[in-house]
DNA sequence: TAGATTGTTAATCGATTAACAATC
DNA sequence: TAGATTGTTAATCGATTAACAATC
């Protein structure tokens, strides 16, 4: 199936819609854009446009069929095809991600973690092995890994990123608080903790007056 | 000092500038907007406008004084005044955040964690005590906590959020993959893992052809 | 048919970028 | 003075919202 080009802005809203629809699955067979919009405090035309980019299956008067829409959202978000990924850095955050069962719902399959700390190598987290850094290249090539997750402290992050790129990685999910550089064609998605904190802090200062 | 209204879009870029400036601190005394822009692949006028909202201390020909700009960014981002926060959910992710030393650089002071699991209560993570849920209200009121961090599985998240709000919390940093509802005036900042994954997944599908 | 709801076209709004004037 | 760089004003672009037409 072909999709209209879905902008990044729209794409970021879709998972929330999907989440809501899944919670509605057993309660109603159809849902209107206005209902979804009200649920998230969004404009209803916006929701209709977002859904049109993915589905085009809404019917006047009845709205959208919940189960059909779920399928279309899942397909568009790529939750249907498994993506294999590896993770570098098996500290607390890394192990939290390894243990997170929800990833498989998103089509993500974390196959292994790597760490330079000999004390961690050989352990298991969330059922995934923690391997020595030396094995990184071999595993990435063997399993044709395209996604790498970085959960190490900021200092070594760029070196790890470079190494991942040389292993054929096409996208990096970066949890280290640094800006990483990568060649064109390799996507760096930063989980930007500092930016979130800035928003929170501003709200607190404005709402409490201090 | 008064600031021009800083939009959320701008605010999200400022931490990255600050990070770069800190790395430059010992290397150069001044820096130009074009340099910063090139470093992040941004437009240089955009950087100048962002900085103007915070500083207004740039000088033609010389650029911005690095140390002065660092101070102004820190002030604007609220890294100067300590914000006390509590965390609910001392699992892997919660402990990762508790152990993260970098928060103090952002003016964040995690005072304690709470968990309903008796096995975790009484333990210590990152030097912070894990307390029983019963103590939540008392501590929040006593220390006038305004920020709560939620790192529990999605099912219980709304109930915890409601409880935090009733304790006087004004902002919630939500790591649970659910949409939380809160009264007007209480900010919910979602660390949106599913949205990030959607972006990554789309890039991978488009860049590898499958 | 009347009403609810989708989808489209046009208007608005905000953010980005380009052109240029100001200044050290 | 000439050149580098800031800051401002105007143009462009994309996202949101409003108005309305289409349809079940």
């Amino acid at each position: 199936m072909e999709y209209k080009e879905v902008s990044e802005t729209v794409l970021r809203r879709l998972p929330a819609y999907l989440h809501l629809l899944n919670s509605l699955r057993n309660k109603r067979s159809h849902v209107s854009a206005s209902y979804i919009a009200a649920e998230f405090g969004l404009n209803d035309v916006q929701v209709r446009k977002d859904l049109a980019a993915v589905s085009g299956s809404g019917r006047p008067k009845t709205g959208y069929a919940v189960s059909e829409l779920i399928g279309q959202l899942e397909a568009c978000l790529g939750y249907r095809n498994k993506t294999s990924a590896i993770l570098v850095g098996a500290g607390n955050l890394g192990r939290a991600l390894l243990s997170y069962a929800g990833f498989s719902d998103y089509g993500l399959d974390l196959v292994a973690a790597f760490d330079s700390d000999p004390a961690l190598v050989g352990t298991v987290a969330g059922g995934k092995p923690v391997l020595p850094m030396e094995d990184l290249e071999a595993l990435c090539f063997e399993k044709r890994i395209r996604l790498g997750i970085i959960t190490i402290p900021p200092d070594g992050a760029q070196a790890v990123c470079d190494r991942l790129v040389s292993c054929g990685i096409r996208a990096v999910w970066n949890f280290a608080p640094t800006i990483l550089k990568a060649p064109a064609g390799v996507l760096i998605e930063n989980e930007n903790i500092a930016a979130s904190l800035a928003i929170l802090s501003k709200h607190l200062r404005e709402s409490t007056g201090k």
Side-chain angles (χ1 to χ4, degrees), chain A residues 2-6 10 48-56 76:
Chain A
E2 276 299 309
Y3 302 109
K4 289 162 213 167
E5 187 52 35
V6 181
V10 173
R48 245 170 250 127
K49 281 206 165 152
D50 289 351
L51 295 182
V54 154
S55 153
C76 173

Side-chain angles (χ1 to χ4, degrees), chain A residues 16-45:
Chain A
Y17 300 163
L18 179 55
H19 182 82
L20 173 65
L21 289 164
N22 273 317
S23 78
L24 255 42
R25 176 165 240 156
N26 299 318
K27 293 182 198 144
R28 334 143 111 263
S29 67
H30 289 75
V31 67
S32 75
S34 324
Y35 178 92
I36 300 175
E39 204 66 17
F40 295 117
L42 298 175
N43 180 288
D44 56 333
V45 179

Side-chain angles (χ1 to χ4, degrees), chain A residues 30 52 102 104 146 156 160 179:
Chain A
H30 289 75
S104 70
R146 294 283 171 270
V160 165
I179 307 293

